[in-house]
């Protein structure tokens, strides 16, 4: 990508006295995203007019850090007509010419602090390519946000430079990837997700990278088309018994959504049992074989996951986190003593941290057990989990916190063992509680296996539901309270929550 910098940007950057303290952040992002920083011939001419000899020497020393454009684009009749602005001054002439370079495609973007230039860009139809410093920083910060934080579980972000690459956990990477230690050292200032055991041993590692349209995919067959993607760079989990692999899959999806990406890919060999298990896990959650990648004379399998589209021919899990717009939407109450153990990501600010390697907390697929009379549940139905209040007034302590999507509905089990096996490691209930449910409710027992989609950014209170006519005044939602598409959309909007639908 080529970024043309207006004269006012260069002056801000290279002057002896700082005049704009966001300029450092601008150059940080230009360098981080590998933008080529362009100087126009007209800009160089303007800089040569500096009256201060010391400042002129400073320009001479620093301009070699930029790429100087050698040619000037011709202003076409179409450009002049759309611009509709004959230059009155030399500055106007320079401004129009810089806009022309972007209009003609010789530069991908233009960064300027001149408001009039941004107004002209709208007339030219290139407003999306002309930025102020703050607008550019805002855009790229949104496109490349920090990794999503997970405070409620034993999965933490750590700087790779603080991780011991000689840990036995990484032994399997060394023979497969030549120069692994050197690559790891080059990422010392970047973060990865790490899960550690109670003895502080690494049992899970996940490194993610956002790639843009300039990425070289020549070693992938078929070659990827240019687009922004999330690459799963390094992904390994030890057999832990608490569904850590599922949690890492959720982390991958969360980061792709936060970056507004529509494609994820991962490359892996399949020559070891742990890699075959990882392959099966990813395929189960909708990754498919795209092609191959040449790595050290060997071929890795390339798996791709599409986001932002729903394929009705595939299962709910294969589509996840993509959701169907045509689904039924319901509110489902859950008692406070079970809520946060099942949804640690949705804990209230007043609750203690839920940290610990307990399977159902990490599981992406979870189980909800009910004997409520409701026979019209089906895969794909969306659930808004409503944490019942435990303090007064309950219209403020009772809140919708979480979105889930039903994957399976089972209301018939062959035996108690069958029931226990189905719920194992995905339910908040202990074995003795599950056995009691079986003894007392086996004939009207219903088990929903659902996927945890997202925690609401802002909680929706019972008072809100009552004031907006979603539930009656003085009442709370009953199990599986159906709501309209419009009510569901309103809840998402007012909770500032975005889903892939």
């Amino acid at each position: 990508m080529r970024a043309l910098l207006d004269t006012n940007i260069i002056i801000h950057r290279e002057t002896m006295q700082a005049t704009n303290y966001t300029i450092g952040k601008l150059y940080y992002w230009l360098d981080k995203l590998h933008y080529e920083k362009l100087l126009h011939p007209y800009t160089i001419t303007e800089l040569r007019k500096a009256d201060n000899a010391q400042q002129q020497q400073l320009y001479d020393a620093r301009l070699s850090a930029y790429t100087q454009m050698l040619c000037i684009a011709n202003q076409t009749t179409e450009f002049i007509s759309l611009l509709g602005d004959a230059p009155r001054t030399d500055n106007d002439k320079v401004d129009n010419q810089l806009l022309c370079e972007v209009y003609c495609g010789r530069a991908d973007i233009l960064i300027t602090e001149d408001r009039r230039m941004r107004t002209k860009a709208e007339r030219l139809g290139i407003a999306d390519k002309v930025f102020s410093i703050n607008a550019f920083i805002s855009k790229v910060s949104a496109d490349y946000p920090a990794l999503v934080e997970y405070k409620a579980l034993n999965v933490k972000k750590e700087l790779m430079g603080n991780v011991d690459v000689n840990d036995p956990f990484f032994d399997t990477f060394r023979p497969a990837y030549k120069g692994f230690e050197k690559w790891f050292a080059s990422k010392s200032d970047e973060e990865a997700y790490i899960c550690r055991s109670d003895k502080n041993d690494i049992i899970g590692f996940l490194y993610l990278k956002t790639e843009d349209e300039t990425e070289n995919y020549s070693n992938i067959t078929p070659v990827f088309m240019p687009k922004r993607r999330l690459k799963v760079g390094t992904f390994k989990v030890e057999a832990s018994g608490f569904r850590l692999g599922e949690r890492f899959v959720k982390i991958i999806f969360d980061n792709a959504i936060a970056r507004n990406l529509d494609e994820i890919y991962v490359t892996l060999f399949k020559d070891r049992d742990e890699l075959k298990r990882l392959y099966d896990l990813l395929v189960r959650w909708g990754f498919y074989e795209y092609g191959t990648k040449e790595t050290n004379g060997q071929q890795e399998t390339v798996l791709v996951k599409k986001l932002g589209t729903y394929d009705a021919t595939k299962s709910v899990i294969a589509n996840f986190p993509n959701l169907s717009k045509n689904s039924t939407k319901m509110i489902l109450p859950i008692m406070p003593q079970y809520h946060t153990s099942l949804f640690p990501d949705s804990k209230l600010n007043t609750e203690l941290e839920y940290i610990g390697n307990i399977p159902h907390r990490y599981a992406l697929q979870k189980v909800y057990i009910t004997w409520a009379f409701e026979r019209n549940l089906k895969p794909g139905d969306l659930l808004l989990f409503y944490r019942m209040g435990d303090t007064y007034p309950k219209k403020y302590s009772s809140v919708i916190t979480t979105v889930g999507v039903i994957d399976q509905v089972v209301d018939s089990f062959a035996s108690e063992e069958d029931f226990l096996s189905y719920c194992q490691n995905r339910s908040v209930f202990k074995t003795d509680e599950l056995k009691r449910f079986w003894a007392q409710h086996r004939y009207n027992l219903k088990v929903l296996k659902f996927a945890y989609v997202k925690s609401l950014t802002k909680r929706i209170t019972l008072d809100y539901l009552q004031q907006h006519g979603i539930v009656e005044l003085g009442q709370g939602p009953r199990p599986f309270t159906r709501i309209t598409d419009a009510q569901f959309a309103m809840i998402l909007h007012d909770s500032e929550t975005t889903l892939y639908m």
Side-chain angles (χ1 to χ4, degrees), residues 32-134:
K32 180 179 177 65
L33 301 179
H34 308 295
Y35 275 83
E36 186 178 6
K37 297 185 284 290
L38 302 182
L39 275 185
H40 195 273
Y42 285 179
T43 295
I44 296 173
T45 299
E46 287 189 277
L47 294 175
R48 297 299 181 203
K49 297 177 182 178
D51 295 330
N52 187 315
Q54 187 178 0
Q55 183 64 62
Q56 187 62 68
Q57 289 177 350
L58 189 63
Y59 286 151
D60 291 342
R62 293 183 175 179
L63 294 189
S64 60
Y66 300 85
T67 299
Q68 299 184 19
M69 299 179 74
L70 302 178
C71 301
I72 298 173
N74 291 323
Q75 295 187 16
T76 64
T77 303
E78 180 185 53
F79 172 82
I80 295 172
S81 175
L82 286 172
L83 186 63
D85 183 57
R88 300 177 182 178
T89 66
D90 287 344
N91 284 341
D92 289 341
K93 179 182 177 182
V94 172
D95 292 349
N96 293 353
Q97 189 58 49
L98 265 59
L99 289 166
C100 183
E101 305 298 341
V102 178
Y103 182 82
C104 295
R106 295 192 177 194
D108 296 297
I109 64 171
L110 169 66
I111 301 178
T112 177
E113 291 292 85
D114 190 326
R115 293 182 180 179
R116 291 180 64 249
M117 290 182 72
R118 299 199 295 273
T119 300
K120 292 178 182 180
E122 293 179 2
R123 296 203 295 266
L124 292 167
I126 57 172
D128 61 334
K129 298 180 180 180
V130 179
F131 299 91
S132 67
I133 294 175
N134 284 333

